[in-house]
Amino acid sequence: MTAAWAALIFYLSSQTFAVGFTEWLLRELLHLIRIQVSQETFDTLHHLMRKSAHVTEYAIFSTFIYHSLSADGSFRWRWRVGLESLILAVGYSLTDEFHQIFVPGRTASLVDSGIDSTGAALALALIYVAHRLNRNKQGPENLGEQE
């Protein structure tokens, strides 16, 4: 699943999903729900939509990586697996931005890579918090577990 998601990210970086496509998609969505906004508001919504997509796709990607790297295929928190997952997601983000140099209508952006990396880190932080909350619910017998 991790490789399939990486391929999807690569595909989404193609010209097909450039700014013009997401502008059209947002216009259609607003039309469908019968909301009219000023051009300034539209531009803001469009910007937020595109950046939210970066956060979301890399949050999902880092979650898949974490699961793939976990020896038991679980989401029990392991610092090393978390760090490795983040490094792999950030590295892939950088290669994806490099790829966009060669795609007509797209531009490479370290800011976008930073946004991608933030999404990856947020997902890993959620895995950590979920593990801690689950561990605390189970009681003191789990306090001796290695992290």
Side-chain angles (χ1 to χ4, degrees):
M1 196 62 173
T2 306
W5 195 260
L8 177 64
I9 290 172
F10 186 85
Y11 176 70
L12 292 173
S13 293
S14 71
Q15 186 177 7
T16 305
F17 294 97
V19 173
F21 175 77
T22 55
E23 283 177 344
W24 170 82
L25 185 62
L26 181 57
R27 283 190 203 289
E28 291 298 313
L29 177 63
L30 291 173
H31 179 72
L32 180 68
I33 58 177
R34 301 184 191 288
I35 293 178
Q36 293 182 353
V37 298
S38 68
Q39 186 61 44
E40 183 179 340
T41 301
F42 180 85
D43 292 343
T44 301
L45 290 172
H46 183 242
H47 180 77
L48 290 172
M49 176 180 146
R50 291 186 64 80
K51 300 314 169 188
S52 295
H54 281 268
V55 170
T56 303
E57 69 186 0
Y58 275 86
I60 294 168
F61 186 48
S62 68
T63 302
F64 283 148
I65 295 170
Y66 188 89
H67 185 264
S68 296
L69 294 178
S70 296
D72 59 358
S74 74
F75 284 102
R76 277 181 63 200
W77 182 253
R78 297 288 183 254
W79 283 104
R80 182 181 177 113
V81 176
L83 182 60
E84 290 170 351
S85 300
L86 184 60
I87 290 169
L88 287 170
V90 169
Y92 192 77
S93 172
L94 290 168
T95 63
D96 184 51
E97 291 302 320
F98 179 73
H99 156 248
Q100 290 183 36
I101 291 171
F102 306 102
V103 177
R106 301 302 300 260
T107 57
S109 168
L110 287 177
V111 171
D112 284 351
S113 184
I115 294 169
D116 298 339
S117 301
T118 300
L122 285 172
L124 294 168
L126 286 175
I127 292 170
Y128 171 77
V129 168
H131 172 75
R132 295 294 295 190
L133 290 173
N134 187 43
R135 189 174 135 188
N136 289 340
K137 281 183 185 179
Q138 292 178 358
E141 65 274 5
N142 292 323
L143 292 178
E145 289 181 1
Q146 270 189 324
E147 291 195 26

